[in-house]
Amino acid sequence: MRLHRLRLNAFGPFPGSEEVDFDALSEAGLFLLRGETGAGKTSVLDAVCFALYGALPGVRAGSEKGVRSHYAEADAIPEVELEFSVRERTFRVTRSPEWQRPKKRGTGYTRANASVALAELIDGEYAPLSTRLDEVGQQISTVLGMDVHQFTRVAMLPQGEFAAFLRSDDKNREALLKRLFDTRVFDRTTASAAEHRRLTELAAGEKGLRRTALAEDAARHAVDRLGAEAVAEALLPSAVHGAGRDDASAGEAGDGAAPEGPEAESGGGAPEA
């Protein structure tokens, strides 16, 4: 946000019309508002805040109806006009508080309602955007990315308001800084990384479950196989050993029998003549 020009009329300690050229002041870079107590330094900043939001910062919040200068003529209209730019867009807001004006007929006073007008510089001319109090406030908050409470904690350094921001808790500071510096792209990146991590961990968990299931199946097969072998060893040894004894008996019987045939009949006698 950049301030360009501020015009005040019957506002605060200024009974007449005053104008501040911020562009001229900014040519040298930083500038200082300096003056004696009561000279109107704080009133200049009050006028900026009032023009934007229709409210005063700090301890003066809520006293907007009293911003009209007590030194002004009875029929002088209290009004502030501010020209400012945000991201290459230039706006002009003109705002007047509720005040008591002299009656046009007779004596006494009548109430003049608060008013506002917001316009945007387009092709060298200011095009009106809105004259509704609520709508203008919402549009300016959207353009600046701050509502009045946030603006008075960050931009309005006088009266120690910045200290309130420094003393804010982490959650409030985070919300404000996100709006100030438009961290949406970083938020999306963080959310995307978190989602990627979640899906990766989920996939790894599913793989782990599959590996666990395979290991359990292998263990069951191993147990079944070992169980089958144990059962075989428990049931078959007698049959196996019995078959072995039969084979051995058969072998012994074969070794003790006399051979049959001619050679057996001839025995050990001498051959015939």
Side-chain angles (χ1 to χ4, degrees):
M1 176 187 180
R2 183 184 180 91
L3 304 180
H4 297 290
R5 185 182 65 87
L6 175 68
R7 181 181 61 81
L8 307 91
N9 189 74
F11 187 90
F14 307 107
S17 182
E18 305 290 343
E19 184 171 317
V20 181
D21 188 345
F22 290 107
D23 286 335
L25 293 174
S26 301
E27 289 180 355
L30 296 176
F31 61 89
L32 174 68
L33 293 179
R34 180 177 177 275
E36 299 294 335
T37 300
K41 303 183 297 298
T42 301
S43 295
V44 171
L45 301 178
D46 285 351
V48 171
C49 185
F50 179 78
L52 294 173
Y53 298 103
L56 298 179
V59 296
R60 297 176 301 286
S63 59
E64 291 77 18
K65 294 180 181 180
V67 298
R68 186 181 184 277
S69 176
H70 299 294
Y71 310 106
E73 297 292 335
D75 58 351
I77 300 175
E79 186 178 72
V80 294
E81 184 179 85
L82 176 67
E83 294 178 4
F84 65 98
S85 60
V86 179
R87 301 184 185 91
E88 299 182 356
R89 298 177 65 186
T90 301
F91 301 89
R92 182 184 67 195
V93 57
T94 306
R95 193 184 294 269
S96 179
E98 178 184 317
W99 65 292
Q100 297 294 321
R101 65 171 180 80
K103 291 183 178 180
K104 295 181 178 179
R105 296 181 180 180
T107 60
Y109 295 85
T110 186
R111 185 182 69 181
N113 294 326
S115 63
V116 67
L118 178 65
E120 182 176 2
L121 185 63
I122 301 176
D123 296 331
E125 296 183 358
Y126 278 103
L129 297 179
S130 178
T131 57
R132 291 179 53 183
L133 292 172
D134 56 344
E135 192 171 76
V136 170
Q138 183 177 4
Q139 288 181 347
I140 289 181
S141 295
T142 301
V143 168
L144 296 183
M146 294 180 288
D147 58 25
V148 61
H149 301 292
Q150 295 167 333
F151 183 81
T152 55
R153 282 175 171 80
V154 176
M156 306 304 292
L157 302 184
Q159 311 302 325
E161 287 300 313
F162 189 64
F165 166 73
L166 296 178
R167 289 192 297 267
S168 299
D169 57 37
D170 293 340
K171 184 177 181 180
N172 290 332
R173 278 201 301 266
E174 178 184 2
L176 176 56
L177 292 175
K178 282 184 176 181
R179 295 187 63 183
L180 284 176
F181 299 106
D182 193 13
T183 62
R184 287 175 295 180
V185 62
F186 303 106
D187 293 339
R188 289 195 296 268
T189 302
T190 302
S192 177
E195 180 66 11
H196 178 73
R197 177 182 179 181
R198 186 185 70 82
L199 294 176
T200 301
E201 292 178 347
L202 181 61
E206 292 177 350
K207 290 180 180 179
L209 290 176
R210 287 197 294 270
R211 287 195 296 268
T212 301
L214 291 174
E216 290 177 351
D217 289 342
R220 281 195 299 270
H221 292 320
V223 170
D224 293 342
R225 185 170 60 254
L226 292 174
E229 294 176 356
V231 170
E233 290 180 358
L235 297 178
L236 299 181
S238 59
V240 172
H241 296 327
R245 285 194 299 272
D246 293 342
D247 293 342
S249 300
E252 292 174 355
D255 292 342
E260 296 181 356
E263 294 180 356
E265 294 177 354
S266 62
E272 295 180 356

